[in-house]
Amino acid sequence: MNLFNKKHSVLPGFGLGLGYTLFWLCLIVLLPLLALVLKSSELGWQGFWETVSTDRVIASLKLSFGASLVAALINALFGFLVAWVLVRYSFPGKRFVDALVDLPFALPTAVAGIALTTLYAPNGWFGQYLEPLGIKVAFTPIGIMVALTFIGLPFVVRTVQPVLQDLEAELEEAATCLGANRWQIFQRVIFPATLPALLTGFTLALARATGEFGSVIFIAGNIPMVSEITPLLIIGKLEQYDYLGATAIAVVMLMISFVMLLLINGIQWWAGRRHGIR
Amino acid sequence: MSIDIRNVRKTFGDFIALENINLDIASGELLALLGPSGCGKTTLLRIIAGLETPDSGQILFHGEDATDRHVSERQVGFVFQHYALFRHMTVFDNVAFGLSVRPRRSRPSKEEIRERVMKLLKLVQLDWLADAYPAQLSGGQRQRIALARSLAVEPRVLLLDEPFGALDAKVRKDLRRWLRRLHDEMHITSVFVTHDQEEALEVSDRVVVMNHGRIEQAGRPDEIYETPATPFVTQFLGDVNLFHGRVDAGQVAIGDYAHPIADPSATDGAAKVYVRPHDIELSREPGAALASGTIEHIHAVGPIVRVELKRDDSDTYIDAALTKEQYQSLRLMLGDQVYIRPRKVAVFVDEGAHI
């Protein structure tokens, strides 16, 4: 926190800037969350625990965060590859492919969900070939992962791409002169340099996936204990006018998300420190 | 290790970067490739390193053809203008990189690596920064680390691409002296690229002046400076005054003035005459003069007094650098008319150079 130590900053309005930032964060982010926590506290500790510790809620939480994590990991891997190809190679139609990457951003998630369901349903284009192999995608956790992977891809590509682009060719040349082979150059020079960006992309994809609703409900099938995600459970409670139950589950989700993001931020801080950015 | 460059040619599209380059670099030599930007000096360096491949021609290392040898097998150390340090590694890890990527069979043990890296860091006088990251270093320190990193693999050739180009004047001066001392200790064949003639003349054993993809002249720094072979070299090596004249019967005539030339075999014809500012004497007598002029400006700060004159017979200006004593004994004033007398001239008859 360098800013606090500097008595005289060149940039004016530090006080005002910080005040505004905090006020805005409170108004937009903290206030609704606080209301959530306060509302759920009406349940009392006992009632809260009873609501959130049912098997159905636990199963949905496991599914939501598990599937999100898997999807974000898949995206980290393949998003990196897509970014790599887009930066490193030139091929006809590259701009078109580049534009395609953003499509999951622009598409209404429900549309994505319906499209994916149509493809992967047992009688769909892909589903009809996967079904005989014993692979069920639609209406199973795998389907949820497919949907979450779809919506999370742009985050990784768009965060890694500029970093790869800015990577100086000289770094690789220097490594080659020092006798490193191509794999060593990737593993020890290029990858560590893009790791912070990859982590950011991974976090964004993960955060987006945990909150995703529209695309998932169509492909998930929403079978309790099997393919029911937490956001759907919350909606279900709301529809039964069980507001307290809904907020209680939401608070649990909130806390898990917060701890997760805090953890990743910690890793990022550590990775950033290794770059000498303090 | 000696390096022979034979008939190397390199083009980028329509642009001819190098045209028929022949150069022998002796073992243990410190050679400077000097030239303006775009003259092909960096391309030549990169071809020696193996980072570029020549369109035709050969590179011989110690008499062996190395043209098709991969960079990583050439055992060259390469130092980049912008350091190219690995940002996510400590200074220690940067220097150790070349040793740690070796295949297990030939890789030194951890302790050996540690010992060698620390020895190199001591050599570049930065052992106290082993645990720092490149972002925390100054430009000069980064370049020294980059040098240590390239020396860690015990290269047979050290190649430096504008190594001091991104540094400020003071650091630059210190570093180039330091490089010279380092080279005198290690005797590793070194080639460095620069566009700064002062740097090339001060540091190197031999200077190769390049222009438009060709070698203009190669020789010892004093040779190059005292007897430039072409008008380009003359102009590139420092401030110079140009007179247009004619060579006729062993002397060069400029307007109403004539000056004998050293080489009597010079062919007659239109000629360019170059005189460096510090080779000019000002005089109130017309004897042995090249031209006359009127003093327009006097810059008298420091040990050298710079006098700017406007020639009487044309609209061109002439710079003269006088010692303080000369200046004081002449009692020069603005507006004075004086004669310009050269101590040393370089005469190039148009088409084919002669002195």
Side-chain angles (χ1 to χ4, degrees):
Chain A
M1 283 277 107
N2 239 343
L3 276 175
F4 287 108
N5 300 334
K6 270 184 196 153
K7 286 279 181 285
H8 299 284
S9 171
V10 206
L11 294 171
F14 170 66
L16 191 68
L18 184 70
Y20 175 79
T21 309
L22 287 181
F23 172 73
W24 197 243
L25 265 177
C26 285
L27 193 71
I28 299 293
V29 181
L30 282 183
L31 210 60
L33 296 186
L34 189 70
L36 201 67
V37 175
L38 283 179
K39 182 82 183 168
S40 70
S41 69
E42 285 171 27
L43 268 174
W45 186 243
Q46 187 77 33
F48 179 83
W49 186 248
E50 269 166 23
T51 313
V52 300
S53 63
T54 59
D55 289 348
R56 198 171 162 192
V57 173
I58 301 269
S60 81
L61 283 172
K62 273 186 191 161
L63 177 66
S64 257
F65 285 99
S68 298
L69 204 66
V70 172
L73 282 172
I74 293 173
N75 273 329
L77 179 65
F78 288 93
F80 188 91
L81 277 179
V82 171
W84 178 268
V85 170
L86 285 177
V87 171
R88 285 304 172 111
Y89 306 103
S90 66
F91 48 88
K94 181 172 159 174
R95 288 195 163 271
F96 181 72
V97 175
D98 202 25
L100 271 184
V101 170
D102 286 329
L103 219 55
F105 271 152
L107 209 61
T109 50
V111 177
I114 293 166
L116 287 172
T117 312
T118 318
L119 287 175
Y120 286 105
N123 55 354
W125 286 2
F126 297 163
Q128 59 180 322
Y129 299 111
L130 293 172
E131 180 85 14
L133 299 172
I135 304 167
K136 277 191 187 165
V137 177
F139 318 127
T140 66
I142 299 177
I144 299 175
M145 286 171 205
V146 169
L148 294 181
T149 309
F150 176 81
I151 51 120
L153 177 77
F155 291 100
V156 177
V157 179
R158 290 299 179 233
T159 47
V160 172
Q161 204 177 5
V163 177
L164 273 179
Q165 222 141 30
D166 290 345
L167 213 63
E168 306 142 81
E170 283 184 355
L171 287 180
E172 286 165 59
E173 288 176 352
T176 318
C177 286
L178 292 167
N181 61 35
R182 298 190 69 82
W183 168 244
Q184 285 170 325
I185 293 173
F186 177 79
Q187 176 214 343
R188 304 202 34 187
V189 177
I190 299 172
F191 186 71
T194 47
L195 187 63
L198 189 65
L199 264 175
T200 305
F202 171 79
T203 316
L204 287 173
L206 182 66
R208 176 82 171 79
T210 47
E212 177 59 14
F213 178 72
S215 64
V216 177
I217 49 160
F218 290 100
I219 200 168
N222 310 325
I223 307 154
M225 305 297 293
V226 177
S227 62
E228 190 179 43
I229 55 168
T230 317
L232 185 76
L233 209 62
I234 296 171
I235 300 265
K237 292 246 186 243
L238 284 177
E239 278 169 352
Q240 293 157 22
Y241 303 106
D242 182 7
Y243 295 135
L244 286 178
T247 47
I249 301 172
V251 164
V252 172
M253 237 191 138
L254 189 71
M255 283 185 324
I256 298 175
S257 297
F258 188 68
V259 169
M260 229 166 51
L261 292 178
L262 212 63
L263 228 103
I264 298 172
N265 257 321
I267 299 173
Q268 268 173 327
W269 177 81
W270 173 78
R273 209 176 63 103
R274 299 198 340 145
H275 277 66
I277 312 155
R278 277 156 214 251
Chain B
M1 191 185 61
S2 64
I3 308 167
D4 297 343
I5 298 158
R6 302 256 171 91
N7 301 317
V8 162
R9 185 188 149 86
K10 174 79 181 174
T11 53
F12 296 107
D14 289 337
F15 178 72
I16 300 168
L18 293 173
E19 177 81 74
N20 199 26
I21 298 285
N22 281 290
L23 185 64
D24 290 352
I25 303 166
S27 189
E29 192 175 26
L30 177 53
L31 182 101
L33 293 175
L34 174 68
S37 52
C39 74
K41 55 192 191 301
T42 295
T43 309
L44 183 59
L45 193 77
R46 289 173 62 88
I47 287 177
I48 298 173
L51 293 169
E52 307 270 0
T53 40
D55 295 347
S56 61
Q58 281 182 308
I59 304 289
L60 307 182
F61 278 8
H62 204 74
E64 281 171 55
D65 190 356
T67 318
D68 298 321
R69 214 180 283 170
H70 189 257
V71 198
S72 52
E73 292 158 10
R74 288 198 189 195
Q75 291 183 279
V76 294
F78 202 101
V79 176
F80 295 85
Q81 180 178 3
H82 297 290
Y83 330 122
L85 291 176
F86 307 128
R87 277 188 295 262
H88 58 280
M89 296 183 200
T90 59
V91 161
F92 181 92
D93 289 336
N94 262 284
V95 178
F97 184 85
L99 295 172
S100 64
V101 294
R102 286 202 181 154
R104 192 150 305 183
R105 286 176 286 106
S106 55
R107 192 190 308 158
S109 71
K110 270 221 157 70
E111 292 75 52
E112 278 174 82
I113 291 182
R114 174 149 202 98
E115 207 172 291
R116 251 159 91 177
V117 170
M118 290 317 287
K119 209 174 126 197
L120 276 164
L121 286 177
K122 279 204 184 77
L123 182 75
V124 298
Q125 297 152 11
L126 290 175
D127 47 325
W128 50 286
L129 282 175
D131 296 324
Y133 285 91
Q136 299 165 308
L137 309 184
S138 71
Q141 289 171 337
R142 284 184 209 181
Q143 198 55 297
R144 269 144 72 188
I145 294 302
L147 194 64
R149 181 179 67 176
S150 64
L151 289 173
V153 292
E154 292 175 340
R156 301 193 292 169
V157 180
L158 187 61
L159 306 170
L160 307 105
D161 184 11
E162 303 251 5
F164 315 129
L167 304 170
D168 58 58
K170 171 91 176 67
V171 180
R172 221 164 147 144
K173 229 172 192 147
D174 291 347
L175 264 189
R176 68 192 191 210
R177 296 214 173 119
W178 177 82
L179 175 71
R180 179 69 240 188
R181 279 203 305 276
L182 193 76
H183 181 266
D184 291 342
E185 278 170 36
M186 308 193 44
H187 290 296
I188 175 171
T189 311
S190 310
V191 182
F192 82 101
V193 155
T194 180
H195 61 261
D196 179 346
Q197 82 284 354
E198 209 185 302
E199 191 170 294
L201 295 174
E202 185 183 318
V203 175
S204 60
D205 296 324
R206 199 152 64 101
V207 180
V208 173
V209 185
M210 294 182 65
N211 189 29
H212 291 306
R214 293 167 190 277
I215 292 177
E216 292 267 337
Q217 190 178 4
R220 289 198 320 272
D222 55 322
E223 244 169 43
I224 298 246
Y225 191 80
E226 293 300 327
T227 54
T230 64
F232 173 80
V233 177
T234 318
Q235 281 176 315
F236 196 73
L237 286 190
D239 293 338
V240 77
N241 296 297
L242 170 64
F243 300 85
H244 291 281
R246 279 196 71 79
V247 169
D248 196 6
Q251 53 180 9
V252 60
I254 296 159
D256 300 334
Y257 302 91
H259 192 83
I261 51 177
D263 181 6
S265 65
T267 45
D268 292 354
K272 289 190 177 73
V273 180
Y274 293 96
V275 186
R276 299 212 181 274
H278 59 255
D279 285 331
I280 284 181
E281 272 172 21
L282 298 182
S283 165
R284 302 210 184 257
E285 308 297 327
L290 269 189
S292 63
T294 313
I295 297 179
E296 296 242 315
H297 188 80
I298 298 175
H299 180 77
V301 178
I304 298 290
V305 179
R306 299 198 165 270
V307 180
E308 193 180 303
L309 307 109
K310 184 169 175 292
R311 272 172 70 175
D312 294 333
D313 53 355
S314 73
D315 270 345
T316 53
Y317 287 84
I318 288 172
D319 288 318
L322 309 179
T323 62
K324 205 131 218 167
E325 292 76 38
Q326 283 171 326
Y327 167 68
Q328 276 159 356
S329 69
L330 280 164
R331 293 170 201 280
L332 296 174
M333 302 288 277
L334 285 182
D336 281 3
Q337 210 215 25
V338 290
Y339 294 95
I340 293 149
R341 193 192 284 166
R343 267 190 297 262
K344 186 169 174 298
V345 295
V347 180
F348 297 98
V349 179
D350 292 353
E351 281 154 4
H354 280 280
I355 296 165

